[in-house]
Amino acid sequence: MKEEALTYEKAYEELQQIISDIESGEISVDLLSEKVKRAAALIQVCKNKLTSTENDVQQILNDLKSDQ
């Protein structure tokens, strides 16, 4: 799945699953590096979406202030 197509919720869900699998020992050492890389990519997706949303909200608030 492309990172751009991921919603925040899907990325967060997948990240939670990876964390759960790592904590429970369900991921073999052979797959650990791959899962950690995927987790890093998912964290970046979530961070980008949060930053974008924060910027949008800030712009809306600024627009509301200038309308007064």
Side-chain angles (χ1 to χ4, degrees), residues 16-37:
Q16 288 297 103
Q17 185 60 52
I18 291 170
I19 291 168
S20 177
D21 291 347
I22 290 171
E23 289 177 342
S24 68
E26 292 182 28
I27 294 180
S28 70
V29 172
D30 297 326
L31 292 176
L32 184 60
S33 177
E34 179 184 322
K35 292 295 184 177
V36 169
K37 287 177 187 175

Side-chain angles (χ1 to χ4, degrees), residues 29-57:
V29 172
D30 297 326
L31 292 176
L32 184 60
S33 177
E34 179 184 322
K35 292 295 184 177
V36 169
K37 287 177 187 175
R38 179 64 180 159
L42 292 167
I43 289 168
Q44 190 61 49
V45 167
C46 290
K47 181 180 174 184
N48 289 345
K49 289 190 180 288
L50 288 171
T51 300
S52 175
T53 300
E54 180 181 29
N55 290 340
D56 290 347
V57 169

